[in-house]
Amino acid sequence: MTTPNPLLEVKGVVKSFGQLRALDGVDMVVGRGKVTGLIGPNGSGKTTLFNAVSGFLEPDAGTVLFDGRVVTGAPTHQLARMGLKRTFQNTADFTDMSVVQNLLTSVRTVPGERLSRLFTSPRQISVSERSLLDRAWILLDRLGLTELANARAGDLSIGQGRLLQIARLLMEPPSLLMLDEPSSGLNPDDQHRLSTTVRQLRDIEGVTVLVIEHNMSFMNAISDALYVMHDGHVIASGPPAEVIRDPLVIETYLGVRRATA
Ligand SMILES: Nc1ncnc2c1ncn2[C@@H]1O[C@H](COP(=O)(O)OP(=O)(O)OP(=O)(O)O)[C@@H](O)[C@H]1O
């Protein structure tokens, strides 16, 4: 698959845990302004690849390029400054803060002292602070969280917590957003909202998205390209309609199902 002007390139990445080669020479190209899906059976290496790309694990070999720069093994904070942000399978927000406070405190550029005025003296806030608040309300609306704006984050359901985690990352839109099983725990309405949000991010804000998912209907609704992993290798990649018809992909999924039945 040729991808002109990629935002992320993974070349020959290897990562072993003891005797287990979780990534065995993975190549991947993520097109700028596209949604790329990453699928594969449990234990195929998807999360390890996310960790190796986002600075949580140092690859044993291979190269990661972000926006044309070699970032192999770069720390997460450096990658975040460059515009690469990710979610995790387990949510961890500031549970004692309200939903809207969670959003406002996720912005690195605003000192906490000034931010507190958003709550204590709303009439004295500056234009930039106002625009943050506006951004927070837009995201809450898009993700169906408006009515929960003043709820304690710790009281949210798992699915709502997942949406909040995503909204926090979107306060300052990243150039690459990496989502690890975002639809897990979401009801069908929230899944629909999330897929619409992901498409809006791509189409309106130009955000590139890389997403791990087991939910194929969610994946079909959002992805422009698909990669399939098995046993630490990429076994197929290309347009979703082609990939899901690939005999090797079908056999891998059926084989895994047979083996676990
Ligand atoms: N920190 C670790 N130490 C040892 N083994 C690990 C570690 N992390 C992952 N593994 C192993 O590496 C392999 C790939 O795991 P990984 O979590 O990347 O798979 P996955 O495709 O994300 O699976 P799932 O869909 O279940 O999340 C698995 O066999 C897993 O047990």
Side-chain angles (χ1 to χ4, degrees), residues 17 20 22 41-48 89 181 214:
F17 299 109
L20 176 81
N42 293 116
S44 54
K46 304 178 299 293
T47 301
T48 305
Q89 282 177 23
E181 295 193 33
H214 285 286

Side-chain angles (χ1 to χ4, degrees), residues 201-212:
L201 274 175
R202 175 194 61 192
D203 299 339
I204 303 171
E205 304 193 18
V207 176
T208 301
V209 183
L210 177 61
V211 54
I212 295 178

Side-chain angles (χ1 to χ4, degrees), residues 38-228:
L38 181 56
I39 63 171
N42 293 116
S44 54
K46 304 178 299 293
T47 301
T48 305
L49 181 60
F50 256 42
N51 289 339
V53 165
S54 58
F56 286 86
L57 273 181
E58 190 159 353
D60 302 331
T63 310
V64 179
L65 288 125
F66 180 61
D67 211 3
R69 288 169 61 188
V70 174
V71 294
T72 322
T76 48
H77 61 87
Q78 186 188 329
L79 293 166
R81 265 204 312 273
M82 292 171 74
L84 184 155
K85 296 189 195 172
R86 71 168 286 189
T87 63
F88 293 86
Q89 282 177 23
N90 298 317
T91 57
D93 296 301
F94 298 101
T95 50
D96 279 330
M97 285 188 207
S98 74
V99 166
V100 73
Q101 282 171 326
N102 258 281
L103 292 191
L104 297 171
T105 51
S106 70
V107 179
R108 287 166 300 139
T109 46
V110 181
E113 203 181 292
R114 280 170 52 216
L115 250 183
S116 63
R117 288 210 306 257
L118 287 169
F119 309 108
T120 56
S121 326
R123 293 218 182 95
Q124 290 173 27
I125 63 177
S126 70
V127 173
S128 64
E129 289 158 353
R130 166 60 61 190
S131 68
L132 279 182
L133 202 48
D134 289 347
R135 175 77 178 160
W137 285 110
I138 287 171
L139 291 172
L140 291 174
D141 179 46
R142 277 193 201 160
L143 290 165
L145 294 172
T146 306
E147 285 176 12
L148 294 168
N150 294 312
R152 205 178 141 267
D155 293 335
L156 299 181
S157 69
I158 291 175
Q160 290 161 343
R162 203 173 290 285
L163 293 173
L164 175 59
Q165 193 192 20
I166 293 168
R168 280 172 56 84
L169 297 183
L170 298 179
M171 282 295 288
E172 294 174 295
S175 41
L176 176 63
L177 178 64
M178 297 172 63
L179 303 172
D180 194 348
E181 295 193 33
S183 86
S184 144
L186 299 193
N187 64 35
D189 281 350
D190 286 341
Q191 283 183 21
H192 179 69
R193 258 190 212 105
L194 181 60
S195 61
T196 306
T197 303
V198 170
R199 283 194 299 263
Q200 282 175 338
L201 274 175
R202 175 194 61 192
D203 299 339
I204 303 171
E205 304 193 18
V207 176
T208 301
V209 183
L210 177 61
V211 54
I212 295 178
E213 256 301 338
H214 285 286
N215 177 338
M216 280 310 291
S217 63
F218 180 81
M219 201 57 125
N220 277 334
I222 59 170
S223 22
D224 301 301
L226 264 190
Y227 276 78
V228 187

